[in-house]
Amino acid sequence: MKKCRLAVFASGSGSNYQAIAEACADGRINAEIVLLVCDKPGARVLERAKVFGTESFAFNPKEYESREAYETLLATMLDERGVDYICLAGYMRIVGKVLLSRYEQRIVNIHPSLLPSFKGAHAIQDAVEYGVKIFGATTHFVDETLDGGRIIDQGAVVYEGNDIEELTNLIHNIEHSLYVKTINKLINKKF
Ligand code: GRF
């Protein structure tokens, strides 16, 4: 069966990129990452991409006149590489109309909370402050709403401590296996 062609979009550390790249390399998913897109030149994820030999494209959005302008360029790059799915993995930027319309139902995201609770950039901190005891992560299709879109998979962990770093690590561990599970669902069209 033909390998599914993925693009991963990331802005930071890239541990989720790495989890996907490892699963592609060891055959847990029948896919390959054909492009890593990063909106933060210098982000650690670019170093990780080098290690795996993934082609990367780093850009500074401020150098483009609009979101439409850089997304039009990205769409061309994705089309040229025959990308089947875009996996957002810590991409700290709103996806606009250009990509949403061209890749409708083919963009997925991972978020460090049990959606629809705790949307936004500080999900773990917000959940702790709310007194949450069951934490987790969610994969979902991306639409024009923030962290909205239909849920694909969720994983949970009970945590009653107060060490944010420890909790963040627990949630990251959930994320890494969750994304692999979700990509398998996308490949098998079982979602
Ligand atoms: C993850 O917690 C993900 O859920 C969120 O951003 C973080 C990215 O982490 N969207 P990493 O860069 O993959 O390590």
Side-chain angles (χ1 to χ4, degrees), residues 31-101:
E32 60 183 310
I33 303 175
V34 296
L35 187 65
L36 170 78
V37 172
C38 179
D39 65 327
K40 292 260 165 51
R44 179 157 174 228
V45 67
L46 293 163
E47 293 304 314
R48 297 193 201 244
K50 265 191 212 147
V51 173
F52 283 88
T54 303
E55 182 188 3
S56 61
F57 175 67
F59 71 105
N60 180 353
K62 292 201 181 105
E63 289 172 4
Y64 295 79
E65 68 181 30
S66 62
R67 178 177 289 129
E68 284 73 22
Y70 68 73
E71 285 201 348
T72 299
L73 171 66
L74 294 177
T76 303
M77 295 181 77
L78 298 170
D79 290 351
E80 281 171 359
R81 285 156 187 77
V83 165
D84 297 306
Y85 286 100
I86 298 171
C87 299
L88 307 184
Y91 182 64
M92 303 304 282
R93 198 158 282 283
I94 300 280
V95 177
K97 285 195 286 285
V98 172
L99 287 176
L100 284 174
S101 59

Side-chain angles (χ1 to χ4, degrees), residues 12-16 89-90 110-112 172 175:
S13 155
S15 69
N16 280 286
I110 190 153
H111 183 75
H172 270 149
E175 289 186 337

Side-chain angles (χ1 to χ4, degrees), residues 13-20 23 28 88-90 109-115 120 123-124 135-140 153-157 167-183:
S13 155
S15 69
N16 280 286
Y17 155 78
Q18 178 154 340
I20 297 168
R28 273 176 293 141
L88 307 184
N109 182 39
I110 190 153
H111 183 75
S113 78
L114 294 171
L115 289 172
I124 300 176
F135 297 84
T138 303
T139 54
H140 63 93
D153 283 305
Q154 293 188 305
V157 59
L167 173 60
T168 301
N169 287 334
L170 288 172
I171 293 173
H172 270 149
N173 283 339
I174 291 173
E175 289 186 337
H176 298 159
S177 51
L178 201 68
Y179 227 149
V180 171
K181 178 180 174 186
T182 291
I183 292 169

